[in-house]
Amino acid sequence: MTAVTDQDHTDEHTDEMDHADPSPVEGGSEGTSGNRLPVEDAPDAKDAAEVGDPEDADDHARVPADTSGRTESKASADPASPANPSSPTDPEEATGSWDDGLIARRVNETTAAQQAAAVEIRASRAQAVHAAHHTAQVPAPLAYDGPLRSRLDALRELVGLSRTRLDSGTLAEAGRVLDEAAARRRLSGQHTVVAIAGATGSGKSQLFNSLAGVAISETGVRRPTTAAPIACSWSDGAATLIDRLGIPGRLRRRPLQSAEMEAQLRGLVLVDLPDHDSAAVAHREQVDRVLALVDAVIWVVDPEKYADAILHERYLRPMAGHAEVMFVVLNQIDRLPGEAADQVLDDLRRLLDEDGIALGEYGEPGATVLSLSALTGDGIPELREVLGQFVADRGAAARRISADVDAAAWRLRPVYATGRRTGLSEEARDEFAARLADSVG
């Protein structure tokens, strides 16, 4: 492409050089500037085909010859000129046939062809590097172990056999669990999506910013402050996971560039949610939608609302089976004097136990309960350390799906099983005996 363009450019100026004063030619290649190229000895079609594009042969053949104003080329006269591609013993140079207008053409065409080839090679290498980099950025998909796959297969078979016997509403939750399990399995297994949820004024956005090391989510006294979910990823390759949450690109951020923090929280995708008790219905709907898709959740409570009935009855109690993928954080302990923080924390544990949420204490599996202050930073390093270990384990997504299967199976149990013992009751036996007696007279 470049060589053809240079030749056409040279052809367009040939007629102008026939009538202009002898002057340097603009755009000449190295070693040929200052030489007026004669036009009457333009190469014929054969020469043009040998030198450049075959299509140029006809163009050169149509250039009119001009026998006036012929000027000797310095480049052709000087064998040592760098513009002369031929050696002094070249027969064409010895006979003076180089004064035919091909000097600049051949140099331009050679240089342009070399440049075009170099550009093409660089572009190919850049594409290869980009493809390799893109391949390296795509993380491996999530893998379920054998027991979880067997449970999912059994639930899928149960739903399939029951579609003609039960209404769609009864099977809706089980179908949703199967769909989300299949969708999550196709996405990254190297990342863990953790949502930060809490009530109005609990300080969840401030905690989100403290973990990120930079102000990302808006904080303030205005309520509600967080109107839409905001995502922050500590490593590349999580775009599809964030797409699944429905978070647009303008609400995706990166944390503070710190080698220590990135190494500690590598693989974490943190999502700041709107208030679950917001007066805006749309905000509550977003919370419920995202909570059904994330791998884990950090519940942020404050000393005033940690016992709020909405939190416990609508969220914590129904999600008791998800204790292994839950964190419960008592924020704003800087507002509590003396030992009051420990007392509130103990009371919070009591409420969680009443909700049926297992507490991960003494090495047992269950929810992690911590106290901190996002404002002063007290307790933030402990949360970051526990969260880093949780993400590095890379088992949160599978545990979340397993808990979802448990919940779906528990909801379907009353439909398929009865609490009564098998066999006929005494009343049914008596009725059967009476009707049998009547039938035999």
Side-chain angles (χ1 to χ4, degrees):
M1 292 293 296
T2 307
V4 173
T5 303
D6 292 340
Q7 293 172 8
D8 294 341
H9 177 75
T10 307
D11 292 339
E12 292 174 0
H13 288 76
T14 53
D15 292 336
E16 296 177 4
M17 290 188 295
D18 293 341
H19 305 286
D21 291 336
S23 58
V25 178
E26 289 187 352
S29 60
E30 294 181 14
T32 61
S33 60
N35 299 331
R36 185 186 179 199
L37 303 182
V39 182
E40 72 273 16
D41 291 334
D44 57 12
K46 180 179 178 181
D47 292 335
E50 294 175 354
V51 176
D53 195 324
E55 296 180 358
D56 292 339
D58 294 337
D59 295 7
H60 293 306
R62 289 193 297 266
V63 176
D66 185 7
T67 56
S68 62
R70 183 166 183 170
T71 307
E72 187 72 14
S73 172
K74 294 181 180 180
S76 60
D78 186 4
S81 173
N84 195 337
S86 167
S87 63
T89 59
D90 194 327
E92 289 184 344
E93 182 183 5
T95 59
S97 61
W98 274 100
D99 189 15
D100 58 359
L102 276 177
I103 299 176
R105 292 182 186 277
R106 291 180 177 178
V107 173
N108 285 341
E109 291 167 358
T110 302
T111 305
Q114 293 174 350
Q115 291 176 351
V119 170
E120 184 176 357
I121 293 174
R122 286 195 298 268
S124 301
R125 291 177 178 175
Q127 292 177 356
V129 171
H130 177 73
H133 179 71
H134 179 71
T135 303
Q137 294 295 326
V138 177
L142 180 64
Y144 296 148
D145 58 14
L148 181 54
R149 290 199 302 269
S150 298
R151 296 183 63 202
L152 289 170
D153 292 340
L155 181 60
R156 186 177 297 105
E157 183 178 2
L158 177 64
V159 172
L161 294 173
S162 304
R163 290 194 183 278
T164 58
R165 297 173 174 85
L166 298 175
D167 61 278
S168 59
T170 303
L171 301 173
E173 180 61 20
R176 186 198 67 81
V177 170
L178 292 172
D179 292 341
E180 297 302 340
R184 183 63 182 90
R185 187 178 182 179
R186 291 191 294 266
L187 303 178
S188 171
Q190 312 301 315
H191 294 81
T192 302
V193 185
V194 181
I196 297 183
T200 302
S202 61
K204 56 182 179 54
S205 295
Q206 197 168 41
L207 177 60
F208 180 84
N209 294 338
S210 297
L211 291 173
V214 62
I216 295 177
S217 187
E218 183 182 358
T219 61
V221 296
R222 181 175 59 86
R223 298 289 181 266
T225 302
T226 304
I230 300 175
C232 180
S233 177
W234 269 257
S235 56
D236 297 330
T240 53
L241 284 171
I242 304 177
D243 291 340
R244 180 170 174 250
L245 303 180
I247 300 177
R250 60 184 177 83
L251 296 178
R252 304 181 188 188
R253 303 289 187 273
R254 292 302 297 266
L256 178 68
Q257 298 300 314
S258 170
E260 180 181 358
M261 291 177 58
E262 289 184 2
Q264 189 177 33
L265 299 178
R266 181 176 300 277
L268 172 63
V269 180
L270 198 62
V271 181
D272 184 23
L273 296 178
D275 302 332
H276 69 73
D277 60 347
S278 173
V281 178
H283 294 183
R284 299 198 302 267
E285 292 176 348
Q286 290 189 72
V287 172
D288 295 343
R289 179 183 60 81
V290 175
L291 285 179
L293 301 176
V294 297
D295 302 326
V297 58
I298 301 175
W299 290 103
V300 182
V301 299
D302 61 86
E304 295 180 357
K305 295 184 178 181
Y306 73 92
D308 188 18
I310 296 179
L311 172 65
H312 290 270
E313 294 177 4
R314 185 175 180 180
Y315 293 103
L316 295 182
R317 201 166 298 163
M319 296 182 66
H322 296 72
E324 293 188 52
V325 291
M326 286 173 53
F327 295 77
V328 182
V329 175
L330 175 63
N331 191 20
Q332 303 177 6
I333 60 173
D334 56 293
R335 298 170 52 190
L336 300 174
E339 298 179 355
D342 294 335
Q343 295 175 359
V344 173
L345 192 62
D346 291 341
D347 194 43
L348 175 60
R349 288 193 177 98
R350 178 187 64 81
L351 293 174
L352 295 176
D353 184 66
E354 292 180 357
D355 293 332
I357 297 177
L359 304 181
E361 298 176 332
Y362 311 110
E364 298 178 355
T368 301
V369 183
L370 298 171
S371 61
L372 53 82
S373 173
L375 180 63
T376 64
D378 187 18
I380 295 295
E382 288 77 7
L383 175 60
R384 186 179 288 114
E385 180 179 359
V386 173
L387 193 58
Q389 295 175 356
F390 179 80
V391 173
D393 184 53
R394 295 177 180 174
R399 291 198 295 270
R400 167 63 195 262
I401 297 298
S402 179
D404 288 344
V405 173
D406 289 339
W410 183 258
R411 291 188 182 96
L412 291 176
R413 181 180 178 84
V415 180
Y416 298 97
T418 176
R420 297 180 298 178
R421 65 178 184 177
T422 58
L424 297 176
S425 63
E426 293 297 330
E427 181 181 358
R429 286 175 182 273
D430 293 340
E431 183 180 359
F432 176 76
R435 292 191 179 189
L436 181 62
D438 292 340
S439 65
V440 298

